[in-house]
Amino acid sequence: MTVITHPRRKSNLATMIDSAGGVSVGVALAQARANIEAMRAKALIVIDAQISALEMIPAPTGAGDNPVRLDQAYRAATALIDAAGPFELPDLCRAAAGLCDLIGAIEPEDPFDWRIVTVHARSLRLLQTLPPAATEERVRILQSLSDVIERKLAQTG
């Protein structure tokens, strides 16, 4: 049996761990929200620029041009997702992700109906301008885009 003959000292690390310090979870979340909100204006500018980029990509003029144009559309859509994701803009993210899914599922050398990119760009612009209370309209737009994607994916599969 072991007998301790001197008082145990608590280590400095144990003292720091046991003592109050730092910030509470609630305060940390509030600070994080405030930091993100400060970046909202920049994100909205990026979102607008990426929608404009999608709108301005010309349709491919030939089979050799197809991969370049699809890559441009994919990059614009992913940049939009990156900018919209932290700001609770799920409709924009979902529409852009659908376009990415479709572009990722096809072979770049295969013929591609460029109207899909045009429709997505216009739908993204509409989603961007709709008021937040227009939930029914948002649902219809997203459902229509999903229907287009499902039909096109069924044709490629």
Side-chain angles (χ1 to χ4, degrees), residues 59-60 99 102 112-123 145 148 152:
L99 180 59
L102 181 60
F112 183 77
D113 187 355
W114 196 255
R115 295 175 297 175
I116 294 171
V117 175
T118 305
V119 166
H120 271 78
R122 290 180 182 163
S123 297
L145 290 175
V148 168
K152 290 300 179 180

Side-chain angles (χ1 to χ4, degrees), residues 62-76:
D65 201 21
N66 208 27
V68 173
R69 299 291 185 238
L70 288 172
D71 184 57
Q72 290 172 330
Y74 189 87
R75 287 176 192 244

Side-chain angles (χ1 to χ4, degrees), residues 5-157:
T5 58
H6 62 280
R8 296 190 99 181
R9 266 186 30 191
K10 203 168 189 181
S11 73
N12 287 338
L13 179 59
T15 304
M16 285 192 299
I17 290 172
D18 289 340
S19 66
V23 295
S24 69
V25 173
V27 171
L29 287 173
Q31 288 174 344
R33 282 188 198 102
N35 291 340
I36 287 178
E37 277 307 309
M39 299 175 70
R40 182 178 285 276
K42 281 184 180 179
L44 293 175
I45 292 169
V46 171
I47 291 167
D48 188 59
Q50 296 309 319
I51 293 172
S52 294
L54 270 174
E55 292 170 331
M56 293 172 38
I57 299 171
T61 56
D65 201 21
N66 208 27
V68 173
R69 299 291 185 238
L70 288 172
D71 184 57
Q72 290 172 330
Y74 189 87
R75 287 176 192 244
T78 55
L80 191 150
I81 294 167
D82 290 344
F87 299 97
E88 298 176 6
L89 300 169
D91 299 338
L92 291 173
C93 291
R94 184 171 162 207
L99 180 59
C100 289
D101 291 345
L102 181 60
I103 292 172
I106 63 166
E107 292 297 323
E109 297 80 26
D110 291 346
F112 183 77
D113 187 355
W114 196 255
R115 295 175 297 175
I116 294 171
V117 175
T118 305
V119 166
H120 271 78
R122 290 180 182 163
S123 297
L124 285 162
R125 181 67 71 199
L126 181 57
L127 288 168
Q128 179 193 31
T129 59
L130 279 174
T135 54
E136 187 177 317
E137 291 84 356
R138 291 174 181 282
V139 168
R140 272 192 268 145
I141 292 167
L142 292 172
Q143 185 57 53
S144 296
L145 290 175
S146 293
D147 293 345
V148 168
I149 292 168
E150 286 177 23
R151 279 194 300 270
K152 290 300 179 180
L153 287 176
Q155 290 175 0
T156 62

